[in-house]
Coordinates of all heavy atoms in Angstrom, one line a residue:
M169 N 0.8 -1.2 0.0 CA 0.0 0.0 0.0 C 0.9 1.3 0.0 O 0.6 2.2 -0.8 CB -0.9 0.0 1.2 CG -1.8 1.2 1.3 SD -2.8 1.2 2.7 CE -3.0 2.9 3.1
W170 N 1.9 1.3 0.9 CA 2.7 2.5 0.9 C 3.5 2.7 -0.3 O 3.8 3.8 -0.7 CB 3.7 2.4 2.1 CG 2.9 2.5 3.4 CD1 2.7 1.5 4.3 CD2 2.3 3.7 4.0 NE1 2.0 2.0 5.4 CE2 1.7 3.3 5.2 CE3 2.2 5.0 3.5 CZ2 1.0 4.2 6.0 CZ3 1.5 5.9 4.3 CH2 0.9 5.5 5.5
N171 N 3.9 1.6 -1.0 CA 4.6 1.7 -2.2 C 3.8 2.4 -3.3 O 4.3 3.2 -4.1 CB 5.1 0.3 -2.7 CG 6.2 -0.2 -1.9 OD1 6.9 0.5 -1.2 ND2 6.4 -1.5 -1.9
S172 N 2.5 2.1 -3.4 CA 1.7 2.7 -4.4 C 1.5 4.2 -4.0 O 1.4 5.1 -5.0 CB 0.3 2.0 -4.5 OG -0.4 2.1 -3.2
L173 N 1.4 4.6 -2.8 CA 1.3 6.0 -2.4 C 2.6 6.7 -2.7 O 2.5 7.9 -3.2 CB 1.0 6.1 -0.9 CG -0.5 5.8 -0.5 CD1 -0.6 5.9 1.0 CD2 -1.4 6.7 -1.2
F174 N 3.7 6.1 -2.5 CA 5.0 6.8 -2.8 C 5.2 6.9 -4.3 O 5.7 7.9 -4.8 CB 6.2 6.0 -2.2 CG 6.3 6.1 -0.7 CD1 6.5 5.0 0.1 CD2 6.2 7.4 -0.1 CE1 6.6 5.1 1.5 CE2 6.3 7.5 1.3 CZ 6.5 6.4 2.1
A175 N 4.7 5.9 -5.0 CA 4.8 6.0 -6.5 C 3.9 7.2 -7.0 O 4.3 7.9 -7.9 CB 4.4 4.7 -7.1
F176 N 2.7 7.3 -6.4 CA 1.8 8.4 -6.8 C 2.4 9.7 -6.5 O 2.4 10.7 -7.3 CB 0.5 8.2 -6.0 CG -0.6 9.2 -6.4 CD1 -1.3 9.2 -7.5 CD2 -0.8 10.3 -5.5 CE1 -2.2 10.1 -7.8 CE2 -1.7 11.3 -5.8 CZ -2.4 11.2 -7.0
W177 N 3.0 9.8 -5.3 CA 3.7 11.1 -4.9 C 4.8 11.4 -5.8 O 5.0 12.6 -6.2 CB 4.2 11.0 -3.4 CG 5.0 12.2 -3.0 CD1 6.3 12.3 -2.9 CD2 4.4 13.5 -2.7 NE1 6.7 13.5 -2.5 CE2 5.5 14.3 -2.4 CE3 3.2 14.0 -2.7 CZ2 5.4 15.6 -2.0 CZ3 3.0 15.4 -2.3 CH2 4.1 16.2 -2.0
D178 N 5.6 10.4 -6.2 CA 6.8 10.7 -7.0 C 6.3 11.2 -8.4 O 7.0 12.0 -9.0 CB 7.6 9.4 -7.2 CG 8.5 9.1 -6.0 OD1 8.7 10.1 -5.2 OD2 8.9 8.0 -5.8
Q179 N 5.2 10.7 -8.9 CA 4.7 11.1 -10.2 C 4.0 12.4 -10.2 O 4.1 13.2 -11.2 CB 3.8 10.0 -10.7 CG 3.4 10.1 -12.2 CD 2.7 8.9 -12.7 OE1 2.3 8.0 -11.9 NE2 2.4 8.9 -14.0
Y180 N 3.2 12.7 -9.2 CA 2.4 13.9 -9.2 C 2.7 14.9 -8.1 O 1.8 15.8 -7.8 CB 0.9 13.5 -9.0 CG 0.4 12.6 -10.2 CD1 0.2 11.3 -10.1 CD2 0.2 13.2 -11.4 CE1 -0.3 10.5 -11.1 CE2 -0.3 12.5 -12.5 CZ -0.5 11.1 -12.4 OH -0.9 10.4 -13.4
H181 N 3.9 14.9 -7.5 CA 4.1 15.8 -6.4 C 4.1 17.3 -6.8 O 3.6 18.1 -6.0 CB 5.4 15.5 -5.7 CG 6.6 15.8 -6.5 ND1 7.1 14.9 -7.5 CD2 7.5 16.9 -6.6 CE1 8.2 15.4 -8.0 NE2 8.4 16.6 -7.5
G182 N 4.4 17.6 -8.0 CA 4.4 19.0 -8.5 C 2.9 19.5 -8.6 O 2.6 20.6 -8.1
L183 N 2.0 18.7 -9.1 CA 0.6 19.1 -9.2 C 0.0 19.2 -7.8 O -0.8 20.1 -7.5 CB -0.2 18.1 -10.0 CG 0.0 18.2 -11.5 CD1 -0.7 17.0 -12.2 CD2 -0.5 19.5 -12.0
I184 N 0.3 18.3 -6.9 CA -0.2 18.3 -5.6 C 0.2 19.5 -4.8 O -0.6 20.2 -4.2 CB 0.2 17.0 -4.8 CG1 -0.5 15.8 -5.4 CG2 -0.2 17.1 -3.3 CD1 0.1 14.4 -4.9
I185 N 1.5 19.9 -4.9 CA 2.0 21.1 -4.2 C 1.4 22.3 -4.9 O 1.0 23.3 -4.2 CB 3.5 21.1 -4.3 CG1 4.1 20.0 -3.4 CG2 4.0 22.5 -3.8 CD1 5.6 19.8 -3.5
G186 N 1.3 22.4 -6.2 CA 0.7 23.5 -6.9 C -0.8 23.8 -6.5 O -1.1 24.9 -6.2
F187 N -1.6 22.7 -6.5 CA -3.0 22.9 -6.1 C -3.1 23.2 -4.6 O -4.0 24.0 -4.2 CB -3.8 21.6 -6.4 CG -4.2 21.6 -7.9 CD1 -3.7 20.6 -8.7 CD2 -5.1 22.5 -8.4 CE1 -4.1 20.6 -10.0 CE2 -5.5 22.5 -9.7 CZ -5.0 21.5 -10.5
G188 N -2.2 22.7 -3.8 CA -2.2 23.0 -2.4 C -1.9 24.5 -2.1 O -2.6 25.2 -1.4
V189 N -0.9 25.0 -2.8 CA -0.6 26.5 -2.7 C -1.7 27.3 -3.3 O -2.1 28.4 -2.7 CB 0.7 26.8 -3.5 CG1 1.0 28.3 -3.6 CG2 1.9 26.1 -2.8
L190 N -2.3 26.9 -4.4 CA -3.5 27.7 -4.9 C -4.6 27.7 -3.9 O -5.2 28.7 -3.7 CB -3.9 27.0 -6.2 CG -5.2 27.7 -6.9 CD1 -4.9 29.1 -7.3 CD2 -5.6 26.9 -8.1
G191 N -4.9 26.6 -3.3 CA -5.9 26.5 -2.3 C -5.6 27.5 -1.1 O -6.5 28.2 -0.6
L192 N -4.4 27.5 -0.6 CA -4.0 28.4 0.4 C -4.1 29.9 0.1 O -4.6 30.7 0.9 CB -2.6 28.1 0.9 CG -2.4 26.8 1.7 CD1 -0.9 26.6 1.9 CD2 -3.2 26.8 3.0
V193 N -3.8 30.2 -1.2 CA -3.9 31.6 -1.6 C -5.4 32.0 -1.7 O -5.8 33.1 -1.2 CB -3.3 31.8 -3.0 CG1 -3.7 33.1 -3.7 CG2 -1.8 31.7 -2.9
L194 N -6.3 31.1 -2.2 CA -7.7 31.4 -2.2 C -8.3 31.5 -0.8 O -9.1 32.4 -0.6 CB -8.4 30.3 -3.0 CG -8.1 30.3 -4.5 CD1 -8.8 29.2 -5.2 CD2 -8.5 31.6 -5.2
L195 N -7.9 30.7 0.1 CA -8.3 30.8 1.5 C -7.8 32.1 2.1 O -8.6 32.8 2.8 CB -7.9 29.6 2.3 CG -8.7 28.4 2.2 CD1 -8.0 27.2 3.0 CD2 -10.1 28.6 2.7
F196 N -6.6 32.5 1.9 CA -6.0 33.7 2.4 C -6.9 34.9 1.8 O -7.2 35.8 2.6 CB -4.6 33.8 1.9 CG -3.9 35.0 2.4 CD1 -3.5 35.1 3.8 CD2 -3.6 36.1 1.6 CE1 -2.9 36.3 4.2 CE2 -3.0 37.2 2.0 CZ -2.6 37.3 3.4
N197 N -7.2 34.8 0.6 CA -8.0 35.9 0.0 C -9.4 36.0 0.6 O -9.9 37.1 0.9 CB -8.1 35.7 -1.5 CG -8.8 36.8 -2.2 OD1 -8.8 38.0 -1.7 ND2 -9.4 36.6 -3.3
Q198 N -10.0 34.9 0.9 CA -11.3 34.9 1.5 C -11.3 35.4 2.9 O -12.2 36.2 3.3 CB -11.9 33.4 1.5 CG -12.3 32.9 0.1 CD -13.5 33.6 -0.4 OE1 -14.4 33.9 0.3 NE2 -13.5 34.0 -1.7
F199 N -10.4 35.0 3.7 CA -10.4 35.3 5.1 C -9.8 36.6 5.5 O -10.2 37.3 6.4 CB -9.8 34.2 6.0 CG -10.6 32.9 5.9 CD1 -10.1 31.8 5.5 CD2 -11.9 32.9 6.4 CE1 -10.8 30.6 5.4 CE2 -12.7 31.8 6.4 CZ -12.1 30.6 5.9
I200 N -8.7 37.0 4.8 CA -8.0 38.2 5.1 C -8.5 39.4 4.4 O -8.8 40.5 5.0 CB -6.5 38.0 4.8 CG1 -5.9 36.9 5.6 CG2 -5.7 39.3 5.1 CD1 -6.0 36.9 7.1
Y201 N -8.8 39.4 3.1 CA -9.1 40.5 2.3 C -10.6 40.7 2.2 O -11.1 41.7 1.6 CB -8.5 40.5 0.9 CG -7.0 40.7 1.0 CD1 -6.1 39.6 0.7 CD2 -6.5 41.9 1.4 CE1 -4.8 39.8 0.8 CE2 -5.1 42.1 1.5 CZ -4.2 41.0 1.2 OH -2.9 41.2 1.3
R202 N -11.4 39.9 2.7 CA -12.9 40.0 2.6 C -13.4 41.3 3.2 O -14.3 41.9 2.7 CB -13.6 38.8 3.2 CG -15.1 38.9 3.2 CD -15.7 37.7 3.7 NE -15.8 36.8 2.5 CZ -16.4 35.5 2.6 NH1 -16.8 35.1 3.7 NH2 -16.4 34.8 1.5
R203 N -12.8 41.8 4.2 CA -13.2 43.0 4.9 C -13.0 44.2 4.0 O -13.7 45.3 4.2 CB -12.5 43.2 6.2 CG -11.0 43.3 6.1 CD -10.3 43.4 7.4 NE -8.9 43.1 7.2 CZ -8.0 43.3 8.0 NH1 -8.3 43.8 9.2 NH2 -6.7 43.0 7.7
Y204 N -12.2 44.1 3.0 CA -12.0 45.3 2.1 C -13.0 45.2 0.9 O -13.0 46.2 0.1 CB -10.6 45.3 1.5 CG -9.6 45.5 2.6 CD1 -8.7 44.5 2.9 CD2 -9.5 46.6 3.4 CE1 -7.7 44.6 3.9 CE2 -8.6 46.8 4.3 CZ -7.7 45.8 4.6 OH -6.7 46.0 5.6
W205 N -13.7 44.2 0.7 CA -14.7 44.1 -0.4 C -15.8 45.0 -0.2 O -16.3 45.2 1.0 CB -15.2 42.7 -0.5 CG -14.2 41.7 -1.0 CD1 -12.9 41.9 -1.4 CD2 -14.3 40.3 -1.1 NE1 -12.2 40.8 -1.7 CE2 -13.1 39.8 -1.5 CE3 -15.4 39.4 -0.8 CZ2 -12.9 38.4 -1.7 CZ3 -15.2 38.1 -1.0 CH2 -13.9 37.6 -1.5
T206 N -16.3 45.6 -1.2 CA -17.5 46.5 -1.1 C -18.7 45.8 -1.8 O -18.5 45.0 -2.8 CB -17.2 47.8 -1.8 OG1 -16.8 47.6 -3.1 CG2 -16.1 48.5 -1.0
S207 N -19.9 46.1 -1.4 CA -21.1 45.6 -2.0 C -21.6 46.5 -3.1 O -21.3 47.7 -3.1 CB -22.1 45.4 -0.9 OG -23.3 44.9 -1.5
Y208 N -22.3 46.0 -4.0 CA -23.0 46.9 -5.0 C -24.1 47.7 -4.3 O -24.7 47.2 -3.4 CB -23.6 46.0 -6.1 CG -22.6 45.2 -6.9 CD1 -22.7 43.8 -6.9 CD2 -21.6 45.8 -7.6 CE1 -21.8 43.1 -7.6 CE2 -20.7 45.0 -8.3 CZ -20.8 43.7 -8.3 OH -19.9 42.9 -8.9
P209 N -24.3 48.9 -4.8 CA -25.3 49.7 -4.2 C -26.7 49.2 -4.5 O -26.9 48.5 -5.5 CB -25.1 51.1 -4.8 CG -24.4 50.9 -6.1 CD -23.6 49.6 -5.9
T210 N -27.7 49.6 -3.7 CA -29.1 49.3 -4.1 C -29.5 50.2 -5.2 O -28.9 51.1 -5.6 CB -30.0 49.4 -2.8 OG1 -29.9 50.8 -2.5 CG2 -29.5 48.5 -1.7
R211 N -30.7 49.9 -5.7 CA -31.2 50.7 -6.8 C -31.5 52.1 -6.4 O -31.1 53.1 -7.1 CB -32.6 50.1 -7.3 CG -33.2 50.8 -8.4 CD -34.5 50.2 -8.8 NE -35.2 51.1 -9.7 CZ -35.9 50.6 -10.8 NH1 -35.9 49.4 -11.0 NH2 -36.5 51.5 -11.6
E212 N -32.0 52.3 -5.2 CA -32.3 53.6 -4.7 C -31.0 54.4 -4.5 O -30.9 55.6 -4.8 CB -33.0 53.5 -3.4 CG -34.4 53.0 -3.5 CD -34.5 51.5 -3.7 OE1 -33.5 50.8 -3.3 OE2 -35.5 51.0 -4.2
A213 N -29.9 53.7 -4.0 CA -28.6 54.4 -3.8 C -28.0 54.8 -5.1 O -27.4 55.8 -5.3 CB -27.7 53.5 -3.0
Y214 N -28.2 53.9 -6.2 CA -27.6 54.2 -7.5 C -28.3 55.4 -8.1 O -27.7 56.3 -8.7 CB -27.7 53.0 -8.4 CG -27.1 53.2 -9.7 CD1 -25.7 53.1 -9.9 CD2 -27.8 53.5 -10.9 CE1 -25.1 53.3 -11.1 CE2 -27.3 53.6 -12.1 CZ -25.9 53.6 -12.2 OH -25.3 53.8 -13.4
I215 N -29.7 55.4 -8.0 CA -30.4 56.6 -8.5 C -30.1 57.8 -7.8 O -30.0 58.9 -8.4 CB -31.9 56.3 -8.5 CG1 -32.2 55.1 -9.5 CG2 -32.7 57.5 -8.8 CD1 -33.6 54.6 -9.4
A216 N -29.9 57.8 -6.5 CA -29.5 59.0 -5.7 C -28.1 59.5 -6.1 O -27.9 60.7 -6.2 CB -29.5 58.6 -4.2
A217 N -27.2 58.6 -6.4 CA -25.9 59.0 -6.8 C -25.8 59.5 -8.3 O -25.0 60.3 -8.6 CB -24.9 57.8 -6.7
H218 N -26.7 58.9 -9.1 CA -26.8 59.3 -10.6 C -28.2 59.6 -10.9 O -28.9 58.8 -11.6 CB -26.3 58.1 -11.4 CG -24.9 57.6 -11.0 ND1 -23.8 58.3 -11.3 CD2 -24.5 56.5 -10.3 CE1 -22.7 57.6 -10.8 NE2 -23.2 56.6 -10.2
P219 N -28.7 60.8 -10.6 CA -30.2 61.1 -10.8 C -30.6 61.1 -12.3 O -31.7 60.8 -12.6 CB -30.4 62.4 -10.1 CG -29.1 63.0 -9.9 CD -28.1 61.9 -9.9
G220 N -29.7 61.4 -13.2 CA -30.0 61.4 -14.6 C -30.1 60.1 -15.3 O -30.5 60.0 -16.4
C221 N -29.8 59.0 -14.5 CA -29.9 57.7 -15.1 C -31.2 57.0 -15.0 O -31.5 56.0 -15.6 CB -28.9 56.8 -14.4 SG -27.2 57.3 -14.7
H222 N -32.2 57.6 -14.3 CA -33.5 57.1 -14.2 C -34.4 57.7 -15.4 O -34.7 58.9 -15.3 CB -34.1 57.4 -12.9 CG -35.5 56.8 -12.6 ND1 -35.6 55.4 -12.7 CD2 -36.7 57.3 -12.3 CE1 -36.9 55.2 -12.4 NE2 -37.6 56.3 -12.2
T223 N -34.7 56.9 -16.4 CA -35.4 57.3 -17.6 C -36.7 56.6 -17.6 O -37.0 55.7 -16.9 CB -34.6 57.1 -18.8 OG1 -34.4 55.7 -19.0 CG2 -33.3 57.8 -18.8
A224 N -37.5 57.0 -18.6 CA -38.8 56.3 -18.8 C -38.6 54.8 -19.3 O -39.4 54.0 -19.0 CB -39.7 57.0 -19.9
D225 N -37.5 54.5 -20.0 CA -37.2 53.2 -20.4 C -36.6 52.3 -19.3 O -36.5 51.1 -19.5 CB -36.2 53.2 -21.6 CG -36.8 53.9 -22.8 OD1 -38.0 53.8 -23.0 OD2 -36.1 54.4 -23.7
G226 N -36.2 52.9 -18.2 CA -35.6 52.1 -17.2 C -34.3 52.8 -16.7 O -34.1 54.0 -16.9
I227 N -33.5 52.1 -16.0 CA -32.2 52.6 -15.5 C -31.1 52.5 -16.6 O -31.0 51.4 -17.2 CB -31.8 51.9 -14.3 CG1 -32.9 51.9 -13.2 CG2 -30.5 52.5 -13.7 CD1 -33.2 53.3 -12.7
V228 N -30.4 53.5 -16.8 CA -29.3 53.5 -17.8 C -28.0 53.6 -17.1 O -27.9 54.1 -16.0 CB -29.4 54.6 -18.9 CG1 -30.7 54.3 -19.7 CG2 -29.5 56.0 -18.3
C229 N -26.9 53.2 -17.8 CA -25.5 53.3 -17.2 C -25.1 54.8 -17.1 O -25.3 55.5 -18.1 CB -24.6 52.5 -18.1 SG -22.9 52.5 -17.5
A230 N -24.5 55.1 -16.0 CA -24.0 56.5 -15.9 C -22.7 56.7 -16.7 O -22.5 57.9 -17.1 CB -23.6 56.8 -14.4
T231 N -22.0 55.7 -17.1 CA -20.8 55.8 -17.9 C -21.1 56.0 -19.4 O -20.6 56.9 -20.1 CB -19.9 54.6 -17.7 OG1 -19.6 54.5 -16.3 CG2 -18.6 54.8 -18.4
C232 N -21.9 55.1 -20.0 CA -22.1 55.1 -21.4 C -23.6 55.4 -21.9 O -23.8 55.6 -23.0 CB -21.7 53.7 -22.0 SG -22.7 52.3 -21.5
G233 N -24.5 55.3 -21.0 CA -25.9 55.6 -21.3 C -26.7 54.4 -21.8 O -27.9 54.6 -22.2
Q234 N -26.2 53.2 -21.8 CA -26.9 52.1 -22.3 C -27.8 51.5 -21.2 O -27.5 51.7 -20.0 CB -25.9 50.9 -22.7 CG -25.0 51.3 -23.9 CD -25.8 51.4 -25.2 OE1 -26.7 50.7 -25.4 NE2 -25.4 52.4 -26.0
K235 N -28.9 50.9 -21.6 CA -29.9 50.3 -20.7 C -29.2 49.2 -19.9 O -28.5 48.4 -20.4 CB -31.1 49.8 -21.4 CG -32.2 49.5 -20.4 CD -33.5 49.2 -21.1 CE -34.5 48.9 -20.0 NZ -35.6 48.2 -20.5
A236 N -29.5 49.2 -18.6 CA -29.0 48.1 -17.7 C -29.7 46.8 -18.0 O -30.9 46.7 -18.1 CB -29.2 48.5 -16.2
L237 N -28.9 45.7 -18.0 CA -29.4 44.4 -18.1 C -29.2 43.7 -16.8 O -28.5 44.1 -15.9 CB -28.5 43.6 -19.2 CG -28.6 44.3 -20.6 CD1 -27.6 43.6 -21.5 CD2 -30.0 44.3 -21.2
T238 N -30.0 42.6 -16.6 CA -30.0 41.9 -15.4 C -29.3 40.5 -15.4 O -29.3 39.9 -16.5 CB -31.4 41.7 -14.9 OG1 -31.4 41.1 -13.6 CG2 -32.3 40.9 -15.8
G239 N -28.8 40.1 -14.3 CA -28.2 38.8 -14.2 C -28.5 38.2 -12.8 O -28.3 38.9 -11.8
P240 N -29.0 37.0 -12.7 CA -29.3 36.4 -11.4 C -28.0 36.1 -10.6 O -27.0 35.7 -11.2 CB -30.1 35.2 -11.8 CG -29.6 34.8 -13.1 CD -29.3 36.1 -13.8
V241 N -28.1 36.2 -9.3 CA -27.1 35.7 -8.4 C -27.8 34.7 -7.5 O -28.8 35.0 -6.9 CB -26.5 36.9 -7.6 CG1 -25.5 36.4 -6.6 CG2 -26.0 38.0 -8.4
A242 N -27.3 33.5 -7.5 CA -27.9 32.3 -6.9 C -28.2 32.6 -5.4 O -27.3 32.9 -4.6 CB -27.0 31.1 -7.0
G243 N -29.5 32.6 -5.0 CA -29.9 32.8 -3.7 C -29.8 34.2 -3.1 O -30.2 34.5 -2.0
K244 N -29.3 35.2 -3.9 CA -29.1 36.5 -3.4 C -30.0 37.6 -4.0 O -30.3 38.6 -3.4 CB -27.7 36.9 -3.7 CG -26.7 36.0 -3.0 CD -26.6 36.2 -1.6 CE -25.5 35.3 -1.0 NZ -25.5 35.3 0.4
G245 N -30.5 37.4 -5.2 CA -31.3 38.4 -5.9 C -30.8 38.6 -7.3 O -30.5 37.6 -8.0
R246 N -30.6 39.8 -7.7 CA -30.2 40.1 -9.1 C -29.1 41.3 -9.1 O -29.2 42.2 -8.2 CB -31.3 40.5 -10.0 CG -32.4 39.4 -10.0 CD -33.5 39.7 -11.0 NE -33.3 39.3 -12.4 CZ -33.2 38.0 -12.7 NH1 -33.2 37.1 -11.9 NH2 -33.1 37.7 -14.0
I247 N -28.2 41.2 -10.0 CA -27.3 42.3 -10.3 C -27.6 42.9 -11.6 O -27.7 42.2 -12.6 CB -25.8 41.8 -10.3 CG1 -25.4 41.2 -8.9 CG2 -24.9 42.9 -10.7 CD1 -25.3 42.2 -7.8
Y248 N -27.8 44.2 -11.6 CA -28.0 44.9 -12.9 C -26.7 45.5 -13.4 O -26.0 46.1 -12.6 CB -29.1 46.0 -12.7 CG -30.5 45.5 -12.6 CD1 -30.9 45.0 -11.4 CD2 -31.3 45.4 -13.7 CE1 -32.2 44.4 -11.2 CE2 -32.6 44.9 -13.6 CZ -33.0 44.4 -12.3 OH -34.3 43.9 -12.2
R249 N -26.4 45.2 -14.6 CA -25.1 45.6 -15.2 C -25.3 46.2 -16.6 O -26.3 46.0 -17.2 CB -24.1 44.5 -15.1 CG -24.6 43.3 -15.9 CD -23.7 42.1 -15.7 NE -22.3 42.3 -16.0 CZ -21.7 42.2 -17.2 NH1 -22.4 41.8 -18.2 NH2 -20.5 42.5 -17.4
C250 N -24.2 46.8 -17.0 CA -24.2 47.3 -18.4 C -23.2 46.4 -19.2 O -22.0 46.3 -18.9 CB -23.6 48.8 -18.4 SG -23.4 49.4 -20.0
D251 N -23.7 45.8 -20.3 CA -22.9 44.9 -21.1 C -22.0 45.7 -22.0 O -20.9 45.2 -22.4 CB -23.8 44.0 -21.9 CG -24.2 42.8 -21.2 OD1 -23.5 42.5 -20.2 OD2 -25.1 42.1 -21.6
W252 N -22.3 47.0 -22.3 CA -21.5 47.8 -23.2 C -20.1 48.1 -22.6 O -19.1 47.9 -23.2 CB -22.3 49.0 -23.6 CG -21.5 49.8 -24.6 CD1 -20.8 50.9 -24.4 CD2 -21.4 49.5 -26.0 NE1 -20.3 51.4 -25.6 CE2 -20.6 50.5 -26.6 CE3 -21.9 48.5 -26.8 CZ2 -20.3 50.6 -27.9 CZ3 -21.6 48.6 -28.2 CH2 -20.8 49.6 -28.7
C253 N -20.2 48.7 -21.4 CA -18.9 49.1 -20.7 C -18.5 48.2 -19.5 O -17.6 48.4 -18.8 CB -19.0 50.5 -20.2 SG -20.3 50.9 -19.0
D254 N -19.3 47.1 -19.3 CA -19.0 46.0 -18.3 C -18.9 46.6 -16.9 O -18.1 46.2 -16.1 CB -17.7 45.3 -18.7 CG -17.7 43.9 -18.1 OD1 -18.7 43.3 -17.9 OD2 -16.6 43.5 -17.8
N255 N -19.9 47.5 -16.6 CA -20.0 48.0 -15.2 C -21.1 47.3 -14.5 O -22.2 47.2 -15.1 CB -20.2 49.5 -15.2 CG -19.0 50.3 -15.6 OD1 -17.9 49.8 -15.4 ND2 -19.2 51.5 -16.1
E256 N -20.9 47.0 -13.2 CA -22.0 46.5 -12.4 C -22.7 47.8 -11.8 O -22.0 48.6 -11.1 CB -21.6 45.6 -11.3 CG -21.3 44.2 -11.8 CD -20.0 44.0 -12.5 OE1 -19.1 44.8 -12.3 OE2 -19.8 43.0 -13.1
L257 N -24.0 47.9 -12.0 CA -24.6 49.2 -11.6 C -25.2 49.1 -10.2 O -24.8 49.9 -9.3 CB -25.7 49.6 -12.6 CG -25.2 49.7 -14.0 CD1 -26.4 50.0 -14.9 CD2 -24.1 50.7 -14.2
Y258 N -26.1 48.2 -9.9 CA -26.8 48.1 -8.6 C -27.3 46.7 -8.4 O -27.3 45.9 -9.4 CB -27.9 49.1 -8.5 CG -29.0 49.0 -9.5 CD1 -30.1 48.2 -9.2 CD2 -28.9 49.6 -10.7 CE1 -31.2 48.1 -10.1 CE2 -30.0 49.5 -11.6 CZ -31.1 48.7 -11.3 OH -32.1 48.6 -12.2
R259 N -27.8 46.4 -7.2 CA -28.3 45.1 -6.9 C -29.7 45.2 -6.4 O -30.1 46.3 -5.9 CB -27.5 44.4 -5.8 CG -27.7 45.1 -4.4 CD -26.9 44.3 -3.3 NE -27.4 44.7 -2.0 CZ -27.0 45.8 -1.4 NH1 -26.2 46.6 -1.9 NH2 -27.5 46.1 -0.2
V260 N -30.5 44.2 -6.6 CA -31.8 44.1 -6.1 C -31.8 42.8 -5.3 O -31.7 41.7 -5.8 CB -32.9 44.1 -7.2 CG1 -34.3 43.8 -6.6 CG2 -32.9 45.4 -7.9
D261 N -31.9 42.9 -3.9 CA -31.9 41.7 -3.1 C -33.2 41.0 -3.1 O -34.3 41.6 -3.3 CB -31.6 42.1 -1.6 CG -30.2 42.7 -1.5 OD1 -29.3 42.3 -2.3 OD2 -30.0 43.5 -0.7
R262 N -33.2 39.7 -3.0 CA -34.4 38.9 -2.9 C -35.1 39.2 -1.6 O -34.5 39.2 -0.5 CB -34.1 37.4 -3.0 CG -35.3 36.5 -3.1 CD -35.0 35.1 -3.1 NE -34.0 34.8 -4.1 CZ -33.8 33.5 -4.5 NH1 -34.5 32.5 -3.9 NH2 -32.9 33.3 -5.4
A263 N -36.4 39.4 -1.7 CA -37.1 39.7 -0.4 C -37.5 38.5 0.3 O -37.5 37.4 -0.1 CB -38.4 40.5 -0.8

């Protein structure tokens, strides 16, 4: 049994170490830098910050003026974004 484990280690030790380091970096990012992450503003906060973006057709992007499109976020609600300039505009949380 140990011989097969040593043979596996000899053959794949580079991949095992690489994926282990990648996992540690991702965990470090999640636990240490999470406090610096910001959330998308709500619709009301976005309209308050950009009052000219609220039109009869809906909400438009403050950068390029294109209409905001929606994308679901699993279990969280929806994120409205501009596909033209790739900006996330605001969020609508699930009630």
